[in-house]
């Protein structure tokens, strides 16, 4: 089994721009910049959107400039209006979920060169970390992923390890908060989610799934794979060789996850502070 590891270091804002990008793509980049300048809700954020950032929207929407522009508008709208209470105070140093290690990125990509995100519910202390904190952490990860890594991979796959999901989590992860997370992730970032795996489900998680599943967007339902407590079933989709011991893999927790990715998020403290001041 060949493991694909991300060995990139922290890069400057425009260092990932591929100078071999097609003339069509570069033309769309210029057109998107012009659309931003003419948009009252976007022009205040031009300084935050470098070429890599904008190209991620265009590539993520398969060179459909209209969809890229709409997604960018949504990206700002959810931060400035719809979920302002989450994003206005959002800086990495104050995000309790980041410090708790609930959401982490595997160091190795899978056999299809996909980026693998792992949500570890057993790390979630509801007395210290709110659902809003966790949802905000998802967005910190998505921002960093599509800015730096998405052009290097074949999409993103999520693993939700629900071991330890208790009544405390039910009170915090209400159906409204689940819908909020889907809303944040699905229409507002240019990320291609190829699969969402849920493992180690118990009574409370099964009850929540029964409530929310019928109301999930069709594309989410099509990509959702529930393995219950069958880790062998998960390994049929994600090679166990890249997984931590908690998911039936051979790698100890300290070695399984990408510390450099998390540090890149922490290093953007000033960026997020200035961004929040614009909201």
């Amino acid at each position: 089994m060949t493991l694909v590891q991300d060995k990139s270091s922290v890069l400057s804002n425009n260092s990932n721009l591929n100078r071999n990008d097609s003339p069509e793509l570069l033309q769309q980049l210029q057109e998107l910049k012009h659309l931003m300048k003419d948009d009252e809700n976007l022009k205040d954020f031009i300084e935050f959107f470098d070429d890599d950032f904008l190209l991620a929207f265009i590539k993520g929407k398969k060179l459909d400039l209209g969809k890229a522009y709409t997604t960018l508008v949504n990206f700002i709208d959810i931060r400035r209006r719809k979920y302002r209470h989450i994003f206005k105070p959002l800086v990495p140093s104050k995000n309790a979920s980041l410090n708790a290690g609930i959401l982490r990125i595997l160091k190795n990509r899978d056999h299809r060169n996909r980026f693998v995100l792992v949500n570890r519910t057993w790390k979630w202390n509801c007395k210290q970390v709110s659902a809003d904190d966790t949802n905000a952490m998802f967005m910190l990860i998505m921002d960093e992923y599509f800015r730096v890594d998405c052009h290097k991979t074949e999409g993103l796959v999520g693993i939700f390890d629900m071991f330890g999901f208790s009544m405390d989590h039910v009170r915090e992860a209400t159906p409204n908060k689940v819908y909020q997370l889907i809303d944040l992730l699905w229409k507002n970032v240019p990320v291609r989610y190829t699969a969402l795996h849920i493992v180690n489900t118990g009574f409370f998680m099964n009850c929540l799934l029964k409530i929310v599943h019928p109301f999930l967007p069709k594309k989410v339902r099509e990509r959702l794979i529930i393995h219950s407590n069958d880790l062998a079933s998960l390994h049929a989709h994600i090679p166990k060789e890249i997984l931590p011991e908690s998911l039936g893999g051979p790698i100890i927790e300290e070695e399984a996850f990408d510390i450099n990715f998390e540090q890149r998020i922490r290093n953007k403290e000033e960026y997020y502070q200035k961004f929040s001041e614009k909201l």
Side-chain angles (χ1 to χ4, degrees), residues 89-102:
L90 179 58
V91 292
S93 64
K94 296 181 180 179
N95 183 264
S97 182
L98 173 61
N99 296 326
I102 298 169

Side-chain angles (χ1 to χ4, degrees), residues 5 49 65 67 78 84 94 113 119 125 172 176 205 212 256 262 264:
Q5 186 171 9
F49 296 159
L65 182 60
K67 289 182 178 179
I78 63 168
R84 191 171 185 270
K94 296 181 180 179
N113 193 32
N119 176 76
N125 183 337
E172 191 64 35
N176 282 340
M205 187 60 203
V212 303
E262 296 166 9
R264 282 174 9 212

Side-chain angles (χ1 to χ4, degrees), residues 5-112:
Q5 186 171 9
D6 179 10
K7 298 180 180 179
S8 61
S9 57
V10 176
L11 302 171
S12 63
N13 279 349
N14 284 308
S15 59
N16 293 320
L17 185 59
N18 186 350
R19 300 305 173 187
N20 295 320
D21 282 328
S22 70
E24 178 188 3
L25 181 61
L26 297 179
Q27 177 62 33
Q28 288 200 5
L29 174 61
Q30 295 307 314
E31 291 178 10
L32 184 57
K33 289 180 177 180
H34 286 305
L35 288 171
M36 289 177 58
K37 291 178 181 179
D38 293 334
D39 190 307
E40 290 295 325
N41 293 316
L42 293 182
K43 64 181 183 181
D44 291 342
F45 296 90
I46 290 177
E47 64 181 288
F48 298 98
F49 296 159
D50 58 32
D51 287 347
D52 285 335
F53 187 96
L54 296 177
L55 283 171
F57 279 83
I58 298 170
K59 292 178 179 180
K61 294 304 174 181
K62 300 180 180 179
L63 306 190
D64 187 321
L65 182 60
K67 289 182 178 179
Y69 173 66
T70 297
T71 305
L72 187 57
V73 170
N74 291 341
F75 179 90
I76 292 300
D77 183 65
I78 63 168
R79 287 159 170 77
R80 178 171 258 183
R81 183 187 61 83
K82 194 171 185 179
Y83 299 119
R84 191 171 185 270
H85 67 285
I86 293 178
F87 290 100
K88 180 63 177 176
L90 179 58
V91 292
S93 64
K94 296 181 180 179
N95 183 264
S97 182
L98 173 61
N99 296 326
I102 298 169
L103 293 165
R104 303 196 70 183
I105 305 302
L106 288 187
K107 186 180 296 183
N108 295 300
R109 301 181 187 127
D110 75 355
H111 58 303
R112 293 170 55 185

Side-chain angles (χ1 to χ4, degrees), residues 157-219:
V157 56
I159 302 175
F160 291 77
D161 181 0
M162 306 310 298
F163 180 79
F165 190 82
S166 66
M167 193 62 203
D168 287 340
H169 296 101
V170 172
R171 295 189 186 98
E172 191 64 35
T174 63
N176 282 340
K177 294 299 182 182
V178 175
Y179 301 146
Q180 179 190 88
L181 178 60
I182 296 297
D183 192 22
L184 287 169
L185 295 178
W186 214 258
K187 296 181 180 180
N188 307 293
V189 291
V191 175
R192 183 161 57 93
Y193 307 102
T194 60
L196 302 172
H197 299 274
I198 300 182
V199 298
N200 293 324
T201 58
F203 173 78
F204 292 114
M205 187 60 203
N206 287 330
C207 290
L208 180 60
L209 284 171
K210 288 180 180 179
I211 295 172
V212 303
H213 189 271
F215 303 99
L216 296 176
K218 180 181 178 182
K219 287 187 177 180

